[in-house]
Amino acid sequence: MRADRRMLVLRAVIEDYIQSQEPVGSSALTKGHQLGVSSATVRNDMAALEEEGYLIQPHTSAGRIPTQKGYRYFVDRLTKRVPLSPAQRNGIDAFLSGSVSLEDVLQRSARLLAQITGQVAVVASPALSKSRLRRIELISIAKTTVLVIVITDTGRVVQHAVSLSYSNTLTEQALANLSDSLNTQCRGYTLAGVSQQMLTGSYKVTDEQTAVLLQDLSTVLSQMAEEEESGNLYMAGRSQLTHRHTVPIGELASLLDALEEQVVLMRLMTAQSELSQQHGGVSVVIGSETQTPGLMHASVVTSGYGHAKAERSTEELSEYDLNDTPIAFVGSIGPTHMDYATTMTAVRAVASYLTQFLSNSEEE
């Protein structure tokens, strides 16, 4: 019973500190929370929590503030999700539904998330390596050149001119038929999977020229996937963070420097987005858990979006196909005293919208 009450005291300290960013004392806790015990008992519980590493007393005779261990305990047991109000949901739909392209909706999502949380929002675009084929078109543009146009399930259109080592004698109809065959065989595969299917697929290739063309196309698609292992980052909210007076100047400078290391952020948040499916759709790393020097006093909340959907049976899926993993991420970065409940809800909501946006794009 004492241990349970102690953890209720810890939760109360963290909730009050998130609201005020001021050290919390026992008297304030007994007045603001129905703990059912005296101020002296709460003071003893806080001392015990400090000994156990959940709280720290920044100054003698001052109240206490949470440590990273305290925040981790709090977040892991944060069962109370703050639901978005109907007005907030309608606001999200209205703000994002005006998007005219995937790039536009990602930029809008970053701005919206930054506005909701008051923190830095980061949204990644889907990389070609994680996108799936919706359609491929082959067009002859010269005697030794075929233009390959790839349309992915995320709505991206990528084209590449394939230089042939011979004079192309395939007719437009022959290329159209080959395109149709590839679309039938490879729709729903990643580009690496399409590349492999071009080499091993059950095509009725009756001439050497078509066989060589497929080999060339396979090489091009494989290179396209390898060259873009990660997507672009859309970021918003840095100016809002600099105007917050609750973040010490030194910590703020380190955080802003870390935000410039986009490769590091991409690696961290991609890994966390994949783990988020094991934690109710959102993952939280705090301070040293980020393994990033500039984020030692920050927390990163991440969710994946656009989960890959297999369009083929289990028997047809190859090692190049994606399972139920996100194709990109959305996240929020802020001080460790962030409002975790609100931030987690907002990140999850925006990720859900983006997943639905991509799903609707696939059906068009």
Side-chain angles (χ1 to χ4, degrees):
M1 179 65 70
R2 181 180 299 178
D4 291 342
R5 187 191 65 231
R6 193 175 293 164
M7 290 306 140
L8 289 177
V9 170
L10 173 62
R11 183 185 185 95
V13 171
I14 294 176
E15 289 176 347
D16 284 7
Y17 184 69
I18 287 174
Q19 292 297 319
S20 68
Q21 282 85 62
E22 294 290 340
V24 180
S26 57
S27 298
L29 287 182
T30 53
K31 291 178 182 178
H33 300 268
Q34 296 180 345
L35 298 174
V37 293
S38 67
S39 177
T41 300
V42 171
R43 189 159 50 249
N44 291 335
D45 286 340
M46 293 175 72
L49 288 167
E50 184 177 0
E51 290 180 4
E52 295 169 1
Y54 293 102
L55 298 176
I56 189 172
Q57 192 172 28
H59 307 289
T60 304
S61 75
R64 290 172 173 83
I65 64 175
T67 63
Q68 179 178 314
K69 182 179 178 180
Y71 283 124
R72 171 47 60 195
Y73 182 91
F74 176 76
V75 169
D76 288 346
R77 287 155 183 80
L78 194 59
T79 57
K80 179 184 176 183
R81 295 183 181 180
V82 179
L84 294 177
S85 67
Q88 288 174 316
R89 288 198 171 278
N90 291 337
I92 290 177
D93 289 341
F95 187 80
L96 297 182
S97 61
S99 305
V100 296
S101 65
L102 176 61
E103 178 180 352
D104 188 29
V105 77
L106 296 180
Q107 291 176 332
R108 286 170 177 252
S109 296
R111 293 200 302 271
L112 176 64
L113 185 57
Q115 290 172 10
I116 294 174
T117 64
Q119 297 159 177
V120 175
V122 183
V123 182
S125 64
L128 276 179
S129 60
K130 290 189 176 182
S131 300
R132 291 177 175 273
L133 179 70
R134 179 189 295 177
R135 185 160 185 81
I136 188 170
E137 297 288 347
L138 303 176
I139 301 173
S140 178
I141 57 176
K143 287 185 176 181
T144 59
T145 308
V146 170
L147 180 67
V148 54
I149 302 173
V150 174
I151 304 174
T152 71
D153 58 348
T154 61
R156 289 188 61 179
V157 179
V158 186
Q159 52 188 12
H160 195 288
V162 181
S163 297
L164 307 176
S165 56
Y166 55 85
S167 180
N168 178 31
T169 59
L170 294 175
T171 64
E172 291 185 10
Q173 187 59 53
L175 287 174
N177 291 340
L178 181 57
S179 298
D180 290 341
S181 178
L182 289 171
N183 287 318
T184 300
Q185 293 284 337
C186 302
R187 177 181 171 87
Y189 280 104
T190 62
L191 294 193
V194 175
S195 174
Q196 183 68 9
Q197 283 293 306
M198 286 180 172
L199 299 179
T200 62
S202 56
Y203 301 107
K204 297 179 180 178
V205 179
T206 57
D207 61 281
E208 182 180 354
Q209 190 176 48
T210 302
V212 174
L213 174 58
L214 287 172
Q215 290 179 342
D216 291 341
L217 289 174
S218 174
T219 300
V220 167
L221 291 178
S222 179
Q223 290 173 345
M224 289 169 63
E226 291 175 358
E227 289 172 359
E228 193 180 328
E229 288 291 339
S230 58
N232 296 321
L233 283 184
Y234 298 90
M235 196 175 295
R238 278 177 287 195
S239 61
Q240 292 175 256
L241 195 61
T242 58
H243 290 100
R244 293 180 62 171
H245 301 294
T246 59
V247 183
I249 297 298
E251 295 178 11
L252 180 61
S254 296
L255 175 55
L256 293 176
D257 287 343
L259 295 176
E260 296 299 321
E261 300 293 335
Q262 294 197 1
V263 174
V264 175
L265 284 182
M266 181 73 75
R267 187 182 303 118
L268 168 65
M269 299 182 79
T270 296
Q272 292 306 311
S273 70
E274 294 172 356
L275 291 174
S276 68
Q277 305 314 301
Q278 305 171 19
H279 303 283
V282 64
S283 173
V284 181
V285 285
I286 305 168
S288 62
E289 296 172 354
T290 65
Q291 299 182 352
T292 304
L295 300 177
M296 288 297 103
H297 301 284
S299 292
V300 181
V301 180
T302 313
S303 182
Y305 74 85
H307 308 296
K309 296 189 301 180
E311 297 187 10
R312 300 177 181 276
S313 66
T314 303
E315 292 76 13
E316 292 178 298
L317 291 175
S318 74
E319 61 179 304
Y320 296 94
D321 284 280
L322 301 174
N323 298 314
D324 187 26
T325 58
I327 61 175
F329 63 78
V330 55
S332 182
I333 304 174
T336 53
H337 59 257
M338 69 166 60
D339 184 340
Y340 288 96
T342 298
T343 301
M344 292 165 69
T345 297
V347 168
R348 189 184 290 109
V350 173
S352 177
Y353 183 94
L354 291 176
T355 296
Q356 187 61 45
F357 178 86
L358 293 181
S359 178
N360 292 340
S361 296
E362 287 185 59
E363 296 171 2
E364 294 176 358

